[in-house]
Amino acid sequence: MDETTTELAKGSPILAGPLCHVLSIQEWSPALPEFIVWLLGTEYAKQHMAAAARGSSISLYSLETIGSLPVPILPLEQQKAIAEASKAGRALRESRIALAEAESETNNSELCRIAGINA
Amino acid sequence: MSDSNTSGSFPASQVVAQILTERFEKLEITERKLIAEIYAMDALWYLSKTKGKKTVHFPAIIKGLGQSPVRYLVNRATAGQDTPEETAAQARGLFEEFVASNQEAIGFGGELKFSLRDSSKIRLPLALLLEVERMARPDRVIAEDPRQLTEVMGVILNSGKGAIDDRVHRPGAEVSVLISKLFTLQPGNGVLDMSCGTGTLLAKLLGDKSRIRAFGQETDQELAVISWLRMELHPSAESAHVQVGDPLQYGYASSFKDNPVDVAVVHSIDFDADEEGKAALLQAVREIEEADQRISVQRGEMEHRCEALLNARNEAKWALEAFEHERSGLPPAIAEAKGKELAARHQALERELRDREQELMSLHVTAFEISRSLKAAHERAKKPPRDRTYDLIKHGLDCVGPSGLTIAVVSARALFKSPQVDRLRSEALEHGRLDLVVELPRGVDGAEDRVAILVFRKGRKDEPIFFVDATDHETIRKVVRLGSAFEPIVGYRRTRSAILTHEFFSAIAQVCVDRVEIPGVSALVPRSALSGTSVDGRQVDLRPRQFIVMDRLEESAGDSQTRLAECRQAVVNAEAALLKARAQLGLDPLFAKTQTSKPTRRPGTH
């Protein structure tokens, strides 16, 4: 994918093109980027776009389909809070999975120690 | 919303991949090949017009009409002249004439003749041609970046399910990522791929480099042509040569002594061929032995029957002769009747004896033939089965210079099955050339078994051999931190395509290049360790796992508790962040807070 990435502003590598759109929020826009990211990941947005999506292994959305998604206009502070809550939810999920794995491995190690085996 | 977006450039190959993958997946292997072949011819035609590439010859009708091959087929189909089957037949005709015009360059001649396999059922719908032309017409791709022509071809051949590289067990895109990172090619270096398939590895190795001497060899005629076409399209492949034929006999094999390369790649993951061949031979011997026994029994029975018939016939003859002496004393009517009866019986026995003797004779002939085949089968069974993989590795080592590499992608069974493992071990012990052993999961390049990558390096000193166990993708994920692309999937088994990704192979390559011991993944093993015996008294084989220390073994109880405490603290922090974010939105807490672990209170400390 090295050849297919395009360096955009702030040095972030982003895959872009006729079928892979890079959406950037203009200054006058009433929506925060992180809020849009959260919105596009919701079932609401997925259901809206599923009907018009093309492709089987990779879903492809036209700009018109994305553009037709009604975006709730909320105060910027509230948008920011929603995005932060979403990010915190994901982080909590990952840390709980890591904890569960660590507990399971420690449990097994202790059982093996009792059984007198090295595993 | 549409006003507030920007788009960067996007390679045509990726566009074709995304749009056409679904269609290519449904196509037969022969159809994918034909479309790729026609597309490559088309691209070469445009290159000859725009870049003045003159080394390739085109069919007479294309030269005469001055139309590109795809346009010619589209025009015929649009005019209603051709059905999809007829378009496919036309395309095949064009391709065969194209190969015939360029056969010397590809290496055909002498006993190597080109012929397409039966492809009578191929369909080439107009819509597909139009879609390929619309999405990746060569003149537009050349204008954007000529390197993408070979990528588009790769997409047509190998995108999605049913990739040709996987079906024919040749180096695919993912394993090419790993191989290409195991060494660095400098301008002027040479590389030989002894089973180049559709040219995926060669295209990857050439990349955007220049002045690389690349040699490809392929036994499958059509794949050799496809690989040759792909190299002809590659802008960095001025000195790339693809030839058809067995790499041990044809093409580069005839000049390797005068023209050493720096890297030779062997790809031979069909381990079963040896064993199946041996099993088939033993089965044939068993069947011939059974047939021999059957025919011996039949022959014995027939001989016994013939003997009985001979006796009966002689008795009948003697009875007839005795009757001739006695008949004068009998009434004429009775003598006549008895004489006829005895003569008839004698003749019947004579006939049956003749028939049985003929049967016995044919049984003797069959028994002789069976005995000859049995002897030949025993001779064949005595000969050791040919180990083609090892022959190729040896040839690869002969082809590289004094400090060259030979990389072999083989079935992982060669790491422990005798006699294959014995030969590889002796290569490591006696010649000291084995440098790296990587065991990979199932499914690499379409293999049903695990696959191993062995790197042999000439001129290495007595350095330890690096073993990598990459069979467990979760371990690799943890060690190399593959990121969100490898988030655990709960509830169903991860598919091969989700495991065997570019990122996974890049991570393995990183481990191999760093050459650092990682618990659970890699180990540096002195060469002498291979001459030892394992706990069960057998000679040590080449499986990486036996040399690798598991990180859990190393972790003490204290370390486990520390790790648990860190994980708990991370959960507590994440919970606090979520509670705070929800409180800002006026939402109630979802859960009771997790308590951080406290040190155990010791008696007498309060």
Short mmCIF file of all heavy atoms in Angstrom, two decimals, chain B residues 307-363:
data_model
loop_
_atom_site.label_atom_id
_atom_site.label_comp_id
_atom_site.label_asym_id
_atom_site.label_seq_id
_atom_site.Cartn_x
_atom_site.Cartn_y
_atom_site.Cartn_z
N GLU B 307 -5.24 -81.21 -18.38
CA GLU B 307 -4.74 -82.58 -18.16
C GLU B 307 -5.90 -83.56 -18.08
O GLU B 307 -5.88 -84.64 -18.70
CB GLU B 307 -3.93 -82.59 -16.86
CG GLU B 307 -2.93 -83.73 -16.81
CD GLU B 307 -2.12 -83.69 -15.52
OE1 GLU B 307 -1.82 -82.58 -15.03
OE2 GLU B 307 -1.81 -84.76 -15.00
N ALA B 308 -6.94 -83.17 -17.34
CA ALA B 308 -8.13 -84.02 -17.21
C ALA B 308 -8.79 -84.23 -18.56
O ALA B 308 -9.21 -85.34 -18.92
CB ALA B 308 -9.11 -83.38 -16.22
N LEU B 309 -8.84 -83.12 -19.33
CA LEU B 309 -9.45 -83.21 -20.67
C LEU B 309 -8.64 -84.12 -21.58
O LEU B 309 -9.18 -84.90 -22.37
CB LEU B 309 -9.55 -81.82 -21.29
CG LEU B 309 -10.80 -81.02 -20.95
CD1 LEU B 309 -10.63 -79.59 -21.46
CD2 LEU B 309 -12.04 -81.64 -21.59
N LEU B 310 -7.29 -84.00 -21.47
CA LEU B 310 -6.41 -84.82 -22.29
C LEU B 310 -6.63 -86.30 -21.98
O LEU B 310 -6.75 -87.14 -22.90
CB LEU B 310 -4.96 -84.42 -22.02
CG LEU B 310 -3.91 -85.05 -22.90
CD1 LEU B 310 -4.05 -84.57 -24.34
CD2 LEU B 310 -2.51 -84.72 -22.40
N ASN B 311 -6.72 -86.59 -20.67
CA ASN B 311 -6.99 -87.99 -20.27
C ASN B 311 -8.32 -88.46 -20.82
O ASN B 311 -8.43 -89.56 -21.37
CB ASN B 311 -6.99 -88.10 -18.74
CG ASN B 311 -5.59 -87.95 -18.19
OD1 ASN B 311 -4.61 -88.12 -18.92
ND2 ASN B 311 -5.49 -87.58 -16.92
N ALA B 312 -9.34 -87.60 -20.67
CA ALA B 312 -10.68 -87.98 -21.15
C ALA B 312 -10.66 -88.19 -22.66
O ALA B 312 -11.26 -89.14 -23.19
CB ALA B 312 -11.68 -86.89 -20.77
N ARG B 313 -9.93 -87.25 -23.34
CA ARG B 313 -9.88 -87.38 -24.81
C ARG B 313 -9.16 -88.68 -25.21
O ARG B 313 -9.60 -89.41 -26.11
CB ARG B 313 -9.11 -86.16 -25.35
CG ARG B 313 -9.29 -85.83 -26.82
CD ARG B 313 -8.30 -86.51 -27.74
NE ARG B 313 -6.94 -86.65 -27.27
CZ ARG B 313 -5.94 -85.88 -27.69
NH1 ARG B 313 -6.16 -84.90 -28.55
NH2 ARG B 313 -4.72 -86.11 -27.26
N ASN B 314 -8.06 -89.03 -24.50
CA ASN B 314 -7.31 -90.26 -24.80
C ASN B 314 -8.19 -91.49 -24.54
O ASN B 314 -8.19 -92.44 -25.35
CB ASN B 314 -6.04 -90.33 -23.96
CG ASN B 314 -5.01 -89.34 -24.47
OD1 ASN B 314 -5.14 -88.86 -25.61
ND2 ASN B 314 -4.02 -89.00 -23.66
N GLU B 315 -8.91 -91.43 -23.42
CA GLU B 315 -9.80 -92.57 -23.12
C GLU B 315 -10.85 -92.75 -24.21
O GLU B 315 -11.16 -93.86 -24.64
CB GLU B 315 -10.48 -92.34 -21.77
CG GLU B 315 -9.57 -92.72 -20.60
CD GLU B 315 -10.14 -92.31 -19.27
OE1 GLU B 315 -11.34 -91.95 -19.21
OE2 GLU B 315 -9.38 -92.33 -18.28
N ALA B 316 -11.38 -91.59 -24.65
CA ALA B 316 -12.39 -91.65 -25.71
C ALA B 316 -11.78 -92.21 -27.00
O ALA B 316 -12.42 -92.99 -27.72
CB ALA B 316 -12.95 -90.24 -25.95
N LYS B 317 -10.51 -91.80 -27.25
CA LYS B 317 -9.84 -92.27 -28.45
C LYS B 317 -9.61 -93.79 -28.40
O LYS B 317 -9.87 -94.52 -29.35
CB LYS B 317 -8.49 -91.53 -28.57
CG LYS B 317 -7.80 -91.69 -29.90
CD LYS B 317 -6.50 -90.91 -29.86
CE LYS B 317 -5.66 -91.27 -31.07
NZ LYS B 317 -4.33 -90.70 -30.96
N TRP B 318 -9.18 -94.23 -27.18
CA TRP B 318 -8.92 -95.65 -27.03
C TRP B 318 -10.22 -96.45 -27.12
O TRP B 318 -10.27 -97.52 -27.71
CB TRP B 318 -8.25 -95.95 -25.68
CG TRP B 318 -6.86 -95.33 -25.57
CD1 TRP B 318 -6.00 -95.12 -26.60
CD2 TRP B 318 -6.25 -94.85 -24.40
NE1 TRP B 318 -4.85 -94.53 -26.16
CE2 TRP B 318 -4.96 -94.36 -24.77
CE3 TRP B 318 -6.60 -94.77 -23.03
CZ2 TRP B 318 -4.07 -93.80 -23.86
CZ3 TRP B 318 -5.69 -94.23 -22.15
CH2 TRP B 318 -4.44 -93.74 -22.55
N ALA B 319 -11.24 -95.88 -26.54
CA ALA B 319 -12.55 -96.55 -26.60
C ALA B 319 -13.00 -96.68 -28.05
O ALA B 319 -13.54 -97.72 -28.47
CB ALA B 319 -13.58 -95.76 -25.79
N LEU B 320 -12.75 -95.64 -28.84
CA LEU B 320 -13.13 -95.67 -30.25
C LEU B 320 -12.33 -96.73 -31.01
O LEU B 320 -12.87 -97.49 -31.82
CB LEU B 320 -12.89 -94.28 -30.87
CG LEU B 320 -13.47 -94.02 -32.25
CD1 LEU B 320 -15.00 -94.17 -32.24
CD2 LEU B 320 -13.11 -92.62 -32.73
N GLU B 321 -11.00 -96.78 -30.69
CA GLU B 321 -10.14 -97.76 -31.35
C GLU B 321 -10.57 -99.20 -30.97
O GLU B 321 -10.64 -100.10 -31.83
CB GLU B 321 -8.69 -97.54 -30.96
CG GLU B 321 -8.06 -96.35 -31.67
CD GLU B 321 -6.70 -95.98 -31.10
OE1 GLU B 321 -6.19 -96.68 -30.20
OE2 GLU B 321 -6.15 -94.96 -31.57
N ALA B 322 -10.87 -99.38 -29.66
CA ALA B 322 -11.30 -100.70 -29.19
C ALA B 322 -12.61 -101.10 -29.86
O ALA B 322 -12.82 -102.26 -30.24
CB ALA B 322 -11.46 -100.68 -27.67
N PHE B 323 -13.49 -100.11 -29.99
CA PHE B 323 -14.77 -100.39 -30.61
C PHE B 323 -14.59 -100.84 -32.07
O PHE B 323 -15.28 -101.73 -32.56
CB PHE B 323 -15.65 -99.12 -30.54
CG PHE B 323 -16.89 -99.23 -31.37
CD1 PHE B 323 -17.95 -100.06 -30.98
CD2 PHE B 323 -17.01 -98.53 -32.57
CE1 PHE B 323 -19.08 -100.16 -31.76
CE2 PHE B 323 -18.14 -98.65 -33.35
CZ PHE B 323 -19.19 -99.45 -32.94
N GLU B 324 -13.61 -100.20 -32.78
CA GLU B 324 -13.35 -100.55 -34.18
C GLU B 324 -13.00 -102.04 -34.30
O GLU B 324 -13.38 -102.70 -35.27
CB GLU B 324 -12.21 -99.70 -34.76
CG GLU B 324 -12.56 -98.24 -34.98
CD GLU B 324 -13.70 -98.03 -35.95
OE1 GLU B 324 -13.87 -98.85 -36.88
OE2 GLU B 324 -14.45 -97.05 -35.76
N HIS B 325 -12.29 -102.54 -33.26
CA HIS B 325 -11.95 -103.98 -33.29
C HIS B 325 -13.17 -104.85 -33.00
O HIS B 325 -13.28 -105.93 -33.53
CB HIS B 325 -10.86 -104.28 -32.23
CG HIS B 325 -9.53 -103.69 -32.58
ND1 HIS B 325 -8.78 -104.10 -33.68
CD2 HIS B 325 -8.79 -102.71 -32.00
CE1 HIS B 325 -7.67 -103.39 -33.75
NE2 HIS B 325 -7.67 -102.53 -32.73
N GLU B 326 -14.06 -104.32 -32.16
CA GLU B 326 -15.19 -105.15 -31.73
C GLU B 326 -16.41 -105.04 -32.65
O GLU B 326 -17.32 -105.85 -32.57
CB GLU B 326 -15.66 -104.71 -30.32
CG GLU B 326 -14.64 -104.96 -29.22
CD GLU B 326 -14.99 -104.21 -27.96
OE1 GLU B 326 -16.07 -103.55 -27.93
OE2 GLU B 326 -14.20 -104.26 -27.00
N ARG B 327 -16.45 -103.97 -33.46
CA ARG B 327 -17.72 -103.66 -34.14
C ARG B 327 -18.17 -104.79 -35.11
O ARG B 327 -19.38 -104.92 -35.36
CB ARG B 327 -17.64 -102.30 -34.84
CG ARG B 327 -17.04 -102.26 -36.18
CD ARG B 327 -17.06 -100.83 -36.74
NE ARG B 327 -18.39 -100.41 -37.15
CZ ARG B 327 -18.71 -99.15 -37.44
NH1 ARG B 327 -17.80 -98.19 -37.28
NH2 ARG B 327 -19.91 -98.83 -37.87
N SER B 328 -17.18 -105.61 -35.65
CA SER B 328 -17.58 -106.66 -36.60
C SER B 328 -18.50 -107.69 -35.94
O SER B 328 -19.36 -108.29 -36.59
CB SER B 328 -16.32 -107.33 -37.17
OG SER B 328 -15.52 -107.80 -36.11
N GLY B 329 -18.37 -107.88 -34.62
CA GLY B 329 -19.20 -108.85 -33.90
C GLY B 329 -20.56 -108.29 -33.50
O GLY B 329 -21.37 -109.01 -32.92
N LEU B 330 -20.83 -107.06 -33.79
CA LEU B 330 -22.09 -106.44 -33.35
C LEU B 330 -23.06 -106.31 -34.53
O LEU B 330 -22.62 -106.21 -35.68
CB LEU B 330 -21.82 -105.04 -32.79
CG LEU B 330 -21.04 -104.98 -31.47
CD1 LEU B 330 -20.68 -103.53 -31.15
CD2 LEU B 330 -21.88 -105.56 -30.34
N PRO B 331 -24.37 -106.23 -34.19
CA PRO B 331 -25.33 -105.99 -35.27
C PRO B 331 -25.04 -104.63 -35.93
O PRO B 331 -24.66 -103.71 -35.23
CB PRO B 331 -26.69 -105.97 -34.56
CG PRO B 331 -26.47 -106.59 -33.23
CD PRO B 331 -25.02 -106.44 -32.91
N PRO B 332 -25.19 -104.52 -37.27
CA PRO B 332 -24.79 -103.28 -37.97
C PRO B 332 -25.45 -102.00 -37.42
O PRO B 332 -24.79 -100.96 -37.27
CB PRO B 332 -25.22 -103.53 -39.41
CG PRO B 332 -25.41 -104.98 -39.53
CD PRO B 332 -25.70 -105.57 -38.19
N ALA B 333 -26.75 -102.10 -37.09
CA ALA B 333 -27.44 -100.88 -36.62
C ALA B 333 -26.87 -100.39 -35.30
O ALA B 333 -26.60 -99.19 -35.09
CB ALA B 333 -28.94 -101.17 -36.46
N ILE B 334 -26.64 -101.39 -34.38
CA ILE B 334 -26.10 -101.02 -33.05
C ILE B 334 -24.68 -100.51 -33.20
O ILE B 334 -24.27 -99.52 -32.58
CB ILE B 334 -26.15 -102.24 -32.09
CG1 ILE B 334 -27.60 -102.62 -31.83
CG2 ILE B 334 -25.41 -101.95 -30.78
CD1 ILE B 334 -27.80 -103.90 -31.07
N ALA B 335 -23.89 -101.23 -34.07
CA ALA B 335 -22.50 -100.81 -34.29
C ALA B 335 -22.44 -99.39 -34.84
O ALA B 335 -21.60 -98.58 -34.42
CB ALA B 335 -21.83 -101.77 -35.25
N GLU B 336 -23.35 -99.12 -35.76
CA GLU B 336 -23.39 -97.75 -36.35
C GLU B 336 -23.65 -96.68 -35.30
O GLU B 336 -22.95 -95.66 -35.21
CB GLU B 336 -24.51 -97.73 -37.40
CG GLU B 336 -24.67 -96.42 -38.14
CD GLU B 336 -23.57 -96.21 -39.19
OE1 GLU B 336 -22.81 -97.15 -39.50
OE2 GLU B 336 -23.45 -95.07 -39.65
N ALA B 337 -24.68 -96.97 -34.48
CA ALA B 337 -25.08 -95.99 -33.45
C ALA B 337 -23.97 -95.79 -32.42
O ALA B 337 -23.62 -94.65 -32.05
CB ALA B 337 -26.36 -96.47 -32.75
N LYS B 338 -23.39 -96.91 -31.96
CA LYS B 338 -22.34 -96.80 -30.95
C LYS B 338 -21.10 -96.10 -31.51
O LYS B 338 -20.46 -95.29 -30.83
CB LYS B 338 -21.98 -98.20 -30.43
CG LYS B 338 -21.11 -98.12 -29.19
CD LYS B 338 -21.04 -99.40 -28.43
CE LYS B 338 -20.21 -99.17 -27.18
NZ LYS B 338 -19.97 -100.39 -26.46
N GLY B 339 -20.77 -96.46 -32.78
CA GLY B 339 -19.63 -95.82 -33.43
C GLY B 339 -19.81 -94.31 -33.50
O GLY B 339 -18.88 -93.53 -33.21
N LYS B 340 -21.04 -93.86 -33.88
CA LYS B 340 -21.30 -92.41 -33.98
C LYS B 340 -21.16 -91.72 -32.62
O LYS B 340 -20.59 -90.63 -32.50
CB LYS B 340 -22.72 -92.17 -34.53
CG LYS B 340 -22.80 -92.22 -36.02
CD LYS B 340 -24.20 -91.85 -36.49
CE LYS B 340 -24.26 -91.92 -38.01
NZ LYS B 340 -25.62 -91.72 -38.49
N GLU B 341 -21.72 -92.45 -31.60
CA GLU B 341 -21.70 -91.87 -30.25
C GLU B 341 -20.25 -91.68 -29.76
O GLU B 341 -19.88 -90.62 -29.25
CB GLU B 341 -22.45 -92.80 -29.29
CG GLU B 341 -22.64 -92.21 -27.90
CD GLU B 341 -23.08 -93.26 -26.90
OE1 GLU B 341 -23.75 -94.21 -27.30
OE2 GLU B 341 -22.73 -93.10 -25.72
N LEU B 342 -19.42 -92.73 -29.98
CA LEU B 342 -18.03 -92.66 -29.52
C LEU B 342 -17.24 -91.60 -30.31
O LEU B 342 -16.44 -90.85 -29.74
CB LEU B 342 -17.35 -94.03 -29.67
CG LEU B 342 -17.79 -95.08 -28.63
CD1 LEU B 342 -17.22 -96.45 -28.99
CD2 LEU B 342 -17.30 -94.68 -27.24
N ALA B 343 -17.50 -91.52 -31.62
CA ALA B 343 -16.81 -90.53 -32.45
C ALA B 343 -17.19 -89.10 -32.03
O ALA B 343 -16.33 -88.20 -31.93
CB ALA B 343 -17.15 -90.77 -33.91
N ALA B 344 -18.50 -88.91 -31.75
CA ALA B 344 -18.97 -87.58 -31.34
C ALA B 344 -18.33 -87.17 -30.02
O ALA B 344 -17.90 -86.02 -29.83
CB ALA B 344 -20.51 -87.59 -31.21
N ARG B 345 -18.30 -88.12 -29.10
CA ARG B 345 -17.70 -87.83 -27.79
C ARG B 345 -16.21 -87.47 -27.94
O ARG B 345 -15.72 -86.50 -27.35
CB ARG B 345 -17.86 -89.05 -26.88
CG ARG B 345 -17.25 -88.85 -25.50
CD ARG B 345 -17.56 -90.03 -24.59
NE ARG B 345 -16.64 -90.10 -23.48
CZ ARG B 345 -16.61 -89.26 -22.46
NH1 ARG B 345 -17.47 -88.24 -22.43
NH2 ARG B 345 -15.73 -89.39 -21.49
N HIS B 346 -15.54 -88.24 -28.80
CA HIS B 346 -14.12 -87.97 -29.03
C HIS B 346 -13.92 -86.60 -29.63
O HIS B 346 -13.05 -85.81 -29.19
CB HIS B 346 -13.56 -89.08 -29.96
CG HIS B 346 -12.12 -88.84 -30.30
ND1 HIS B 346 -11.71 -88.51 -31.58
CD2 HIS B 346 -10.98 -88.86 -29.54
CE1 HIS B 346 -10.41 -88.34 -31.59
NE2 HIS B 346 -9.94 -88.56 -30.34
N GLN B 347 -14.76 -86.25 -30.61
CA GLN B 347 -14.61 -84.94 -31.26
C GLN B 347 -14.91 -83.78 -30.28
O GLN B 347 -14.21 -82.75 -30.27
CB GLN B 347 -15.58 -84.84 -32.46
CG GLN B 347 -15.02 -85.55 -33.67
CD GLN B 347 -16.04 -85.63 -34.80
OE1 GLN B 347 -17.15 -85.11 -34.68
NE2 GLN B 347 -15.69 -86.33 -35.86
N ALA B 348 -15.96 -84.00 -29.47
CA ALA B 348 -16.31 -82.95 -28.49
C ALA B 348 -15.17 -82.72 -27.52
O ALA B 348 -14.80 -81.57 -27.22
CB ALA B 348 -17.59 -83.34 -27.73
N LEU B 349 -14.60 -83.82 -27.04
CA LEU B 349 -13.47 -83.69 -26.11
C LEU B 349 -12.27 -83.05 -26.79
O LEU B 349 -11.55 -82.23 -26.19
CB LEU B 349 -13.10 -85.07 -25.54
CG LEU B 349 -14.07 -85.60 -24.48
CD1 LEU B 349 -13.78 -87.08 -24.20
CD2 LEU B 349 -13.95 -84.80 -23.19
N GLU B 350 -12.07 -83.41 -28.04
CA GLU B 350 -10.96 -82.83 -28.82
C GLU B 350 -11.12 -81.31 -28.95
O GLU B 350 -10.16 -80.55 -28.75
CB GLU B 350 -10.97 -83.49 -30.22
CG GLU B 350 -9.78 -83.16 -31.08
CD GLU B 350 -8.54 -83.96 -30.70
OE1 GLU B 350 -8.65 -85.18 -30.56
OE2 GLU B 350 -7.49 -83.33 -30.48
N ARG B 351 -12.39 -80.90 -29.27
CA ARG B 351 -12.66 -79.45 -29.41
C ARG B 351 -12.42 -78.71 -28.09
O ARG B 351 -11.77 -77.67 -28.04
CB ARG B 351 -14.13 -79.24 -29.86
CG ARG B 351 -14.30 -79.11 -31.37
CD ARG B 351 -15.63 -78.46 -31.70
NE ARG B 351 -16.76 -79.06 -31.00
CZ ARG B 351 -17.42 -80.14 -31.42
NH1 ARG B 351 -17.05 -80.74 -32.53
NH2 ARG B 351 -18.44 -80.60 -30.73
N GLU B 352 -12.98 -79.30 -27.01
CA GLU B 352 -12.85 -78.63 -25.72
C GLU B 352 -11.38 -78.54 -25.30
O GLU B 352 -10.93 -77.52 -24.79
CB GLU B 352 -13.66 -79.37 -24.64
CG GLU B 352 -13.82 -78.47 -23.41
CD GLU B 352 -14.64 -79.12 -22.32
OE1 GLU B 352 -15.30 -80.14 -22.57
OE2 GLU B 352 -14.61 -78.58 -21.20
N LEU B 353 -10.65 -79.60 -25.57
CA LEU B 353 -9.23 -79.60 -25.21
C LEU B 353 -8.49 -78.50 -25.98
O LEU B 353 -7.67 -77.78 -25.42
CB LEU B 353 -8.62 -80.97 -25.52
CG LEU B 353 -7.13 -81.12 -25.20
CD1 LEU B 353 -6.88 -80.94 -23.71
CD2 LEU B 353 -6.61 -82.49 -25.63
N ARG B 354 -8.83 -78.38 -27.30
CA ARG B 354 -8.19 -77.34 -28.11
C ARG B 354 -8.47 -75.94 -27.54
O ARG B 354 -7.58 -75.10 -27.39
CB ARG B 354 -8.69 -77.45 -29.56
CG ARG B 354 -7.65 -77.00 -30.56
CD ARG B 354 -7.96 -77.38 -31.99
NE ARG B 354 -9.37 -77.27 -32.34
CZ ARG B 354 -10.12 -78.30 -32.77
NH1 ARG B 354 -9.59 -79.50 -32.90
NH2 ARG B 354 -11.39 -78.13 -33.08
N ASP B 355 -9.79 -75.72 -27.19
CA ASP B 355 -10.16 -74.41 -26.63
C ASP B 355 -9.41 -74.13 -25.33
O ASP B 355 -8.91 -73.03 -25.11
CB ASP B 355 -11.67 -74.36 -26.35
CG ASP B 355 -12.49 -74.34 -27.65
OD1 ASP B 355 -11.85 -74.12 -28.71
OD2 ASP B 355 -13.71 -74.55 -27.60
N ARG B 356 -9.38 -75.10 -24.46
CA ARG B 356 -8.73 -74.90 -23.16
C ARG B 356 -7.22 -74.66 -23.32
O ARG B 356 -6.62 -73.89 -22.59
CB ARG B 356 -8.95 -76.10 -22.23
CG ARG B 356 -10.39 -76.32 -21.84
CD ARG B 356 -10.96 -75.17 -20.99
NE ARG B 356 -12.41 -75.18 -21.00
CZ ARG B 356 -13.17 -74.38 -21.72
NH1 ARG B 356 -12.63 -73.48 -22.52
NH2 ARG B 356 -14.48 -74.45 -21.68
N GLU B 357 -6.64 -75.40 -24.31
CA GLU B 357 -5.20 -75.21 -24.53
C GLU B 357 -4.91 -73.79 -25.03
O GLU B 357 -3.90 -73.20 -24.67
CB GLU B 357 -4.68 -76.24 -25.52
CG GLU B 357 -4.41 -77.58 -24.84
CD GLU B 357 -3.96 -78.67 -25.80
OE1 GLU B 357 -4.16 -78.51 -27.03
OE2 GLU B 357 -3.44 -79.69 -25.31
N GLN B 358 -5.85 -73.27 -25.84
CA GLN B 358 -5.69 -71.87 -26.29
C GLN B 358 -5.78 -70.92 -25.11
O GLN B 358 -5.00 -69.96 -24.98
CB GLN B 358 -6.77 -71.52 -27.32
CG GLN B 358 -6.36 -71.96 -28.72
CD GLN B 358 -7.41 -71.64 -29.75
OE1 GLN B 358 -8.50 -71.16 -29.41
NE2 GLN B 358 -7.12 -71.93 -31.00
N GLU B 359 -6.77 -71.19 -24.23
CA GLU B 359 -6.90 -70.35 -23.03
C GLU B 359 -5.65 -70.43 -22.17
O GLU B 359 -5.18 -69.42 -21.64
CB GLU B 359 -8.12 -70.81 -22.20
CG GLU B 359 -9.43 -70.24 -22.72
CD GLU B 359 -10.60 -70.67 -21.87
OE1 GLU B 359 -10.43 -70.80 -20.64
OE2 GLU B 359 -11.67 -70.90 -22.44
N LEU B 360 -5.14 -71.63 -22.04
CA LEU B 360 -3.93 -71.82 -21.24
C LEU B 360 -2.76 -71.05 -21.84
O LEU B 360 -1.98 -70.41 -21.13
CB LEU B 360 -3.59 -73.31 -21.16
CG LEU B 360 -2.40 -73.69 -20.28
CD1 LEU B 360 -2.64 -73.28 -18.84
CD2 LEU B 360 -2.13 -75.19 -20.35
N MET B 361 -2.70 -71.08 -23.19
CA MET B 361 -1.63 -70.35 -23.87
C MET B 361 -1.74 -68.84 -23.59
O MET B 361 -0.74 -68.18 -23.28
CB MET B 361 -1.73 -70.61 -25.38
CG MET B 361 -0.58 -70.04 -26.18
SD MET B 361 1.01 -70.69 -25.66
CE MET B 361 0.91 -72.33 -26.36
N SER B 362 -2.98 -68.30 -23.68
CA SER B 362 -3.13 -66.86 -23.41
C SER B 362 -2.84 -66.54 -21.95
O SER B 362 -2.30 -65.48 -21.63
CB SER B 362 -4.52 -66.36 -23.83
OG SER B 362 -5.48 -66.84 -22.96
N LEU B 363 -3.17 -67.48 -21.05
CA LEU B 363 -2.83 -67.28 -19.64
C LEU B 363 -1.32 -67.25 -19.45
O LEU B 363 -0.80 -66.45 -18.66
CB LEU B 363 -3.43 -68.38 -18.77
CG LEU B 363 -4.90 -68.21 -18.39
CD1 LEU B 363 -5.39 -69.45 -17.65
CD2 LEU B 363 -5.12 -67.00 -17.52
#
